[in-house]
């Protein structure tokens, strides 16, 4: 329930969620125009997780992500201009076009890298947590990863290391596998090949505090992350979350199969005829609509206020699109720089 | 003239081997080719559904399973997918599989084939573009095969199986849709034998896998400019056929090697080293090695292409040597 948040916190969270949504829509548009180099992954459907967790963090905390990092960057407060330019491989990007979609980073926000290797990021997060511990800093490391990461050996080693030394890590496993596929040996891209069903079981037997959280429930994500962060900085060790979201039907080759989000669906509750096939997305599964509805229901905001936020966000993303398009490709000489620290 | 796509030849070859020998199984379940090529792989995977183990994202585990299954009498083809993911399984590929025959005094065989789609795939960025082949040449007891031509695929696959050696088969992400520019050799390829794909007298150009395709295209360009290039396809990297390269350079006196690996301890440097040793004195000009510079692979396409050993760079290098 978002009632755990103040009005301002609610409005800010919705703004960030919309920002992610519009950012991803812009990426899909750009891909349609063949402007996105490489295969990319969007955060649509998972917005409440990144935004909810990030709202509890301190600037000194580390944030780590994977191939699906766009939403984490935006939720952390990254500049959408630089983030989008990076995805297009432009000089104005966070890494001057060297990283692209898979390796989004915003080092100035303690978001040093995203690993494109499934589970590759987990041990690194344990390491940044160790760095914080040794330097006696009152901070945590947060690592976002998909359910697929639990299939890799690196994940077990990382959990064990963090548990062994009670390191301040928040393991945020975003399970975007549809509920019907959440069974052993599904074997598809979006179905885990695990012999267990409850991913939290693995961390729990290592003595790590675990919690399953509904990825549509911004308030629940926020509360869980806040508590975990407090425990971590108090030396009580890591927490493992399985955040359950539903798979956005836009799929592996992102396409706007549910259209461009129309925030007014939050109060009209209409499912446009052409999207009837994905009616559940509009009625239940879209976190942006769902959080907006909750805000309306609790009287946190009126629909004119919500609309105003959306307009502001759209203007900002339009500007980011312009910035990214106008940014030149990096100079050829720059290909050879940045291998070593300057 | 052979017009089969490399990828189709690959799928046919795997199918033939599986039909011929029921001990052949696939572990991993990544297709042969990129995500866009799954339509070609589908019939094969349907035909042999029960002999394909579709694994979790667990490269270390399933490559190790391949080693064990080989010891227990199967011939596993372990499909790793993107070449960079082989690093996740490095301990099994480099430190278990290749040592077992030696560690058992020759008694235990490990007939396993690891396969991956390596290389600069355009926009794979730093973590999906590895060319692990030169590193794998540092592994004693591991055979490394890196063909470029559709006609070679079937015979090399079968020869690798018959050799019963642990083998790493290098497929390139951009090779799938390539077709041969030159007719196949009259005799089937042998493991450890390079092939002179195009005979020429002015300069020897050496490549393998996707770089061979670039070398052949360069030879066509050079011909227009009156330069007669001899092009050699290494085909296997371990064992490496230094004799064929030496013999060719003995005639041309000039050497260009195209190799997507980084410059140090690369395929190209290994070829060039022949002429500091067995082929000493054969070069009339310094060898030209075209590698990908020692930089992580950038995402931005203009940067990535700038760093590649492209056709025009090969042409340029050959012209400089012949001038
Ligand atoms: C070591 C490794 N193996 C395979 C891949 C290819 N790959 C990229 S994303 C992905 C699926 C990941 O699923 P999950 O972790 O659940 O993340 P999601 O995409 O669902 O967010 C795979 C197999 C990879 N990037 N790294
Ligand atoms: Mg997933």
């Amino acid at each position: 329930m978002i009632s755990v948040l103040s009005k301002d916190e609610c409005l800010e969270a919705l703004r960030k969620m919309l920002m992610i949504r519009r950012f991803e829509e812009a990426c899909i548009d750009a891909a349609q125009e063949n402007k996105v180099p490489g295969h990319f992954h969007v955060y649509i459907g998972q917005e409440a997780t990144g935004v909810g967790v990030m709202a509890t963090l301190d600037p000194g905390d580390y944030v780590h992500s994977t191939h699906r990092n766009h939403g984490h960057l935006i939720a952390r407060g990254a500049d959408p201009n630089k983030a989008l330019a990076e995805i297009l491989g432009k000089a104005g990007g966070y890494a001057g076009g060297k990283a692209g979609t898979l390796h989004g980073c915003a080092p100035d926000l303690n978001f040093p890298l995203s690993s494109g290797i499934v589970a590759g990021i987990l041990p690194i997060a344990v390491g940044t947590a160790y760095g914080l511990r040794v330097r006696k800093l009152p901070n945590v490391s947060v690592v976002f990863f998909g359910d697929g990461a639990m299939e890799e050996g690196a994940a077990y080693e990382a959990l064990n290391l963090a548990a062994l030394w009670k390191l301040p890590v928040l393991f945020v496993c975003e399970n975007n596998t549809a509920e019907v596929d959440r069974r052993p040996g599904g074997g598809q891209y979006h179905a885990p090949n695990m012999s267990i069903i409850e991913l939290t079981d693995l961390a729990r037997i290592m003595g790590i505090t675990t919690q399953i959280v509904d990825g549509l429930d911004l308030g629940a994500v926020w509360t869980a992350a806040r508590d975990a962060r407090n425990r971590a900085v108090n030396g009580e060790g890591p927490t493992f979350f399985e955040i359950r979201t539903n798979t956005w039907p836009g799929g592996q080759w992102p396409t706007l199969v549910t259209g461009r989000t129309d925030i007014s669906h939050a109060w009209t509750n209409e499912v446009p005829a052409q999207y009837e096939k994905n009616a559940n997305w509009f009625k239940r599964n879209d976190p942006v609509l769902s959080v907006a509805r909750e805000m309306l229901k609790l009287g946190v905001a009126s629909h004119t206020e919500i609309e105003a936020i959306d307009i502001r966000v759209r203007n900002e993303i339009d500007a980011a699109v312009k910035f990214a398009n106008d940014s030149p490709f990096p100079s050829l000489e720059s290909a050879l720089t940045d291998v070593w620290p300057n | 003239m052979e017009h089969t796509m490399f990828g189709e030849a690959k799928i046919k070859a795997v199918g033939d081997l599986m039909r011929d020998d029921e001990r052949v199984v696939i572990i991993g379940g990544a297709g042969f080719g990129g995500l866009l090529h799954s339509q070609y792989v589908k019939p094969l995977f349907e035909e042999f559904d029960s002999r394909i183990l579709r694994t979790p994202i667990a490269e270390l585990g399933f490559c190790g399973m391949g080693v064990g299954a080989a010891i227990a009498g199967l011939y596993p083809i372990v499909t790793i997918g993107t070449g960079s993911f082989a690093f996740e399984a490095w301990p099994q590929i480099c430190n278990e599989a290749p040592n077992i025959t030696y560690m058992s005094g020759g008694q235990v065989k490990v007939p396993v084939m690891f396969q991956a789609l390596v290389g600069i795939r355009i926009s794979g960025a730093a973590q999906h573009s590895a060319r692990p082949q030169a590193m794998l040449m540092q592994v004693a007891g591991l055979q490394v095969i890196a063909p470029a031509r559709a006609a070679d695929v079937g015979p090399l696959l079968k020869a690798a199986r018959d050799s019963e050696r642990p083998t790493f088969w290098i497929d390139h992400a951009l090779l799938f849709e390539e077709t041969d520019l030159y007719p196949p050799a009259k005799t089937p390829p042998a493991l450890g034998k390079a092939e002179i794909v195009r005979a020429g007298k002015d300069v020897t150009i050496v490549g393998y896998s996707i770089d061979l395709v670039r070398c052949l295209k360069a030879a066509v360009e050079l011909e227009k400019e009156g330069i007669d290039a001899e092009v050699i396809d290494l085909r296997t990297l371990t064992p490496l056929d230094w004799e064929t390269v030496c013999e060719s350079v003995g005639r041309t006196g000039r050497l260009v090697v195209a190799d997507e690996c980084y410059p140090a301890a690369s395929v190209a440097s290994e070829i060039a080293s022949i002429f500091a040793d067995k082929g000493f004195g054969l070069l009339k000009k310094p060898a030209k090695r075209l590698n990908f510079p020692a930089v992580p692979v950038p995402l931005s396409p203009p940067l990535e292409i700038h760093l590649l050993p492209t056709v025009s760079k090969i042409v340029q290098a050959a012209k400089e040597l012949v001038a």
Side-chain angles (χ1 to χ4, degrees):
Chain A
M1 291 288 276
I2 55 165
S3 46
V4 294
L5 300 169
S6 71
K7 172 165 177 155
D8 284 350
E9 286 169 334
C10 275
L11 294 176
E12 173 58 11
L14 183 67
R15 187 186 72 82
K16 285 261 175 68
M17 288 177 66
L18 269 165
M19 185 92 134
I20 294 171
R21 178 63 53 86
R22 301 300 179 202
F23 185 88
E24 298 294 37
E25 289 174 357
C27 284
I28 294 170
D29 287 344
Q32 229 84 71
E33 297 163 28
N34 288 322
K35 287 180 182 163
V36 178
H39 189 197
F40 69 109
H41 309 79
V42 298
Y43 201 61
I44 297 179
Q46 300 175 213
E47 292 90 344
T49 305
V51 169
V53 171
M54 232 67 85
T56 68
L57 302 186
D58 183 274
D61 295 337
Y62 280 109
V63 179
H64 302 288
S65 182
T66 61
H67 58 285
R68 202 175 291 285
N69 59 67
H70 302 178
H72 303 135
L73 275 175
I74 300 295
R76 181 61 167 169
D79 176 350
N81 293 12
K82 283 158 78 177
L84 190 60
E86 186 58 45
I87 290 165
L88 304 194
K90 297 297 193 71
Y94 268 103
K98 286 171 173 152
T101 170
L102 283 177
H103 309 303
C105 67
D108 52 329
L109 301 173
N110 263 6
F111 196 136
L113 80 155
S114 292
S115 173
I117 293 300
V118 169
I121 196 69
L122 276 87
I124 296 174
V126 177
T128 53
Y130 180 63
L132 293 169
R133 155 81 51 87
V134 172
R135 293 167 59 207
K136 299 194 163 49
L137 295 169
N139 289 105
V140 302
S141 283
V142 181
V143 54
F144 294 91
F145 51 96
D147 45 291
M150 298 308 293
E151 298 169 14
E152 288 278 6
Y156 300 82
E157 298 187 22
L159 290 172
N160 184 43
L161 294 168
L164 196 56
W165 295 305
K166 289 193 179 308
L167 292 170
V169 190
L170 271 58
F171 293 99
V172 185
C173 179
E174 298 190 58
N175 191 349
N176 54 4
T177 303
E179 195 156 358
V180 290
D181 293 326
R182 234 173 260 149
R183 63 190 152 75
Q188 301 301 311
Y189 181 86
H190 271 306
N193 283 287
M194 297 292 288
S195 61
I196 54 158
I197 294 177
E198 302 299 337
L199 297 177
T200 46
D201 286 355
L202 292 161
R204 195 171 38 75
I205 55 169
M206 293 183 186
I208 296 175
T209 306
T210 66
Q211 194 177 341
I212 297 172
V213 187
D214 176 0
L216 286 174
D217 190 340
L218 176 72
V221 172
W222 184 86
T223 310
R226 180 203 54 192
D227 294 349
R229 189 182 181 282
N230 285 339
R231 286 194 299 273
V233 291
N234 289 335
E236 292 168 47
T239 298
F240 180 99
F241 293 117
E242 181 194 345
I243 314 273
R244 291 190 171 169
T245 56
N246 285 288
T247 315
W248 173 56
Q252 200 179 345
W253 302 98
T255 15
L256 287 176
V257 294
T258 47
R260 212 169 295 277
T261 300
D262 179 346
I263 195 67
S264 74
H265 289 154
W267 51 91
T268 62
N269 291 314
E270 278 167 12
V271 178
Q274 73 264 42
Y275 305 130
E276 195 50 54
K277 205 172 85 200
N278 292 313
N280 278 343
W281 173 254
F282 294 88
K283 288 187 189 150
R284 286 194 286 115
N285 296 343
D286 180 348
V288 172
L289 291 181
S290 140
V291 166
R293 274 186 200 122
E294 225 186 317
M295 290 175 64
L296 290 166
K297 198 167 123 207
L298 295 177
V300 176
S302 67
H303 59 73
T304 33
E305 280 173 291
I306 290 176
E307 247 167 353
I309 293 174
D310 187 36
I311 289 168
R312 229 173 3 117
V313 166
R314 271 160 37 201
N315 288 339
E316 239 179 294
I317 297 298
D318 286 349
V321 170
K322 180 160 171 23
F323 175 88
N325 281 333
D326 290 351
S327 176
F329 280 107
S331 71
L332 296 182
E333 302 79 70
S334 76
L336 298 174
T337 62
D338 301 327
V339 179
W340 305 110
N342 298 315
Chain B
M1 184 92 61
E2 180 73 62
H3 284 297
T4 316
M5 269 167 38
F6 181 88
E8 286 180 306
K10 178 66 190 282
I11 287 161
K12 179 175 183 306
V14 173
D16 289 346
L17 202 69
M18 293 185 84
R19 257 168 244 120
D20 173 62
D21 181 351
E22 65 181 18
R23 294 171 314 149
V24 180
V25 297
I26 292 176
I27 297 178
F32 307 97
L35 291 174
L36 294 171
H37 300 126
S38 53
Q39 82 218 32
Y40 296 102
V41 189
K42 207 165 161 254
L44 177 81
F45 276 24
E46 277 167 8
E47 179 179 351
F48 295 107
D49 188 60
S50 64
R51 284 157 68 187
I52 297 170
L53 197 61
R54 292 174 179 82
T55 56
I57 317 168
E59 292 82 5
L60 179 59
F62 70 69
C63 285
M65 269 185 82
V67 175
I71 291 172
L74 302 183
Y75 187 74
I77 296 177
V78 184
T79 60
I80 295 169
T82 300
S84 298
F85 307 159
F87 295 137
E88 307 304 299
W90 221 235
Q92 291 293 337
I93 297 167
C94 301
N95 204 22
E96 302 292 348
N99 289 333
I100 293 167
T101 301
Y102 199 77
M103 293 193 301
S104 64
Q107 297 175 83
V108 179
K109 289 178 188 164
V110 189
V112 59
M113 177 180 281
F114 306 106
Q115 301 205 341
L117 277 174
V118 314
I120 315 289
R121 57 153 90 157
I122 304 303
S123 310
Q127 288 187 313
H128 286 70
S129 306
R131 292 81 66 214
Q133 54 268 33
M135 293 185 198
L136 292 169
M137 288 166 74
Q138 277 282 321
V139 180
L142 186 70
Q143 183 163 264
V144 184
I145 304 184
R149 307 180 65 208
D152 289 345
V153 171
L156 282 178
L157 188 68
K158 195 163 177 310
R161 193 270 316 260
D162 294 345
S163 76
E164 298 189 300
R165 298 172 177 178
T167 300
F168 201 111
W169 178 288
I170 298 287
D171 267 337
H172 194 282
L174 300 182
L175 206 47
F176 196 97
E177 292 180 23
E178 290 292 336
T179 54
D180 281 349
L181 283 176
Y182 287 81
K186 293 195 182 63
T187 49
L191 285 176
K193 274 311 276 176
E195 188 199 357
I196 298 176
V197 181
R198 182 192 192 281
K201 60 181 186 347
D202 296 332
V203 54
T204 300
I205 306 183
V206 176
Y208 64 96
S209 189
I210 195 72
D211 294 305
L212 188 269
V213 176
R214 296 182 179 128
C215 293
L216 289 172
K217 288 177 181 166
V220 172
E221 294 301 309
L222 288 165
E223 190 178 336
K224 290 179 198 155
E225 311 209 19
I227 295 173
D228 188 17
E230 178 144 305
V231 181
I232 296 179
D233 179 3
L234 293 172
R235 296 196 295 209
T236 55
L237 303 180
T238 302
L240 188 71
D241 179 4
W242 58 270
E243 279 115 334
T244 299
V245 180
C246 235
E247 187 267 325
S248 171
V249 171
R251 283 183 282 104
T252 64
R254 294 169 177 87
L255 173 67
V256 178
V257 192
D259 173 22
E260 273 193 359
C261 292
Y262 292 128
S266 62
V267 179
S269 67
E270 186 61 20
I271 293 295
S273 78
I274 296 169
F275 301 95
D277 182 14
K278 300 183 183 83
F280 189 72
L282 295 178
L283 285 171
K284 293 182 199 141
K285 292 275 186 74
K288 295 252 188 209
R289 289 187 274 150
L290 303 177
N291 289 101
F292 194 96
V295 176
V297 179
L299 173 278
S300 195
L303 302 194
E304 187 181 26
I305 291 161
H306 177 61
L307 300 175
L308 272 179
T310 51
V311 174
S312 60
K313 283 185 197 164
I314 300 168
V315 169
Q316 183 61 28
K319 279 164 71 175
E320 281 169 27
L321 289 182
V322 175

